[in-house]
Amino acid sequence: MGTDIHGFIECRWDRWLDEDDRSWHGAIDLAHLYNGRSYVAFGSLFGVRDTTSFHPLADHRGLPPDVSRETLADFECWGSDASGASWITWAELEAADWDEIANEVDDRVHEYRRSPGGTWETHGRNSSLTRFAELSGHTDHQTLHHAGRTYAEGTEWPDGDRLRRKDAVPGRDWAAVWSVMRTLANLHGDEGVRLVVWFDG
């Protein structure tokens, strides 16, 4: 069974208001912006599923004590199926070292495709294992999923590379989330915008 991410981008007014007036509001459901299932991203951001590649930015913080009504209502609908709740502010995301190197070698099959400009670009990791099995002749599950343990660097299938955090949380997948958070931060300040998430599965 797979694991999916759920949550809200929340915001609050940090300027011109008394502390009592600075309550958080659910701005947009994460489902409108991100529908992927990247366990490396989940681990890099929140310590869920892939817990070895990177030290997570916001590891299992739980729901914020001042969580918005919208977020809390949706979270409670999941009941005992919800797990791994956490949150991270836009300020923390902006301060993150996106060039940080992973803790371990990524030994999965990396698929590259040539771009219109002629350069090689990563297309996926372990995304075409059926085709890789045909090309390599391997049928063993472990070999197929961890080819970097079998093939030396420089063979037909690139391996042995370490991810950078920005590769684990690719912009093409998360661009809409970051764009909305950045836009709201221009209105509410970097500490006035956060992403609150939980997982199922």
Side-chain angles (χ1 to χ4, degrees):
M1 183 172 143
T3 298
D4 293 307
I5 189 170
H6 309 275
F8 275 81
I9 293 176
E10 297 183 332
C11 61
R12 71 176 181 183
W13 288 107
D14 266 355
R15 294 175 286 197
W16 311 303
L17 296 176
D18 294 332
E19 186 62 39
D20 293 342
D21 296 325
R22 292 192 210 159
S23 58
W24 289 90
H25 301 277
I28 188 166
D29 190 320
L30 182 60
H32 297 300
L33 304 171
Y34 179 81
N35 63 357
R37 188 186 269 179
S38 169
Y39 295 154
V40 179
F42 295 171
S44 175
L45 293 169
F46 304 109
V48 172
R49 290 298 292 239
D50 181 337
T51 58
T52 59
S53 292
F54 293 93
H55 177 72
L57 296 178
D59 190 10
H60 290 80
R61 293 176 170 176
L63 292 181
D66 52 357
V67 65
S68 70
R69 289 176 300 184
E70 298 90 346
T71 303
L72 183 60
D74 198 29
F75 174 80
E76 289 177 340
C77 287
W78 285 91
S80 62
D81 290 333
S83 63
S86 196
W87 57 274
I88 190 167
T89 66
W90 178 245
E92 290 173 297
L93 287 166
E94 283 216 305
D97 178 4
W98 294 100
D99 286 316
E100 178 186 348
I101 302 298
N103 297 322
E104 59 183 17
V105 171
D106 183 1
D107 60 9
R108 295 168 296 168
V109 177
H110 290 212
E111 182 180 352
Y112 294 86
R113 293 188 180 173
R114 201 173 286 281
S115 71
T119 59
W120 288 103
E121 295 181 354
T122 303
H123 180 70
R125 293 177 192 81
N126 282 357
S127 56
S128 299
L129 291 181
T130 302
R131 178 63 179 147
F132 177 67
E134 293 171 1
L135 294 171
S136 67
H138 287 290
T139 56
D140 176 66
H141 178 80
Q142 284 296 100
T143 301
L144 290 174
H145 280 80
H146 303 284
R149 298 177 188 169
T150 304
Y151 292 98
E153 200 168 357
T155 60
E156 188 173 350
W157 303 281
D159 72 300
D161 294 331
R162 290 199 180 193
L163 293 173
R164 289 173 296 172
R165 191 181 293 274
K166 65 184 175 186
D167 299 321
V169 188
R172 67 179 180 274
D173 295 342
W174 291 82
V177 178
W178 304 154
S179 178
V180 168
M181 292 184 77
R182 184 181 301 109
T183 300
L184 290 170
N186 288 335
L187 296 169
H188 300 280
D190 290 352
E191 293 289 345
V193 178
R194 67 187 178 195
L195 174 61
V196 180
V197 300
W198 59 93
F199 300 84
D200 71 87

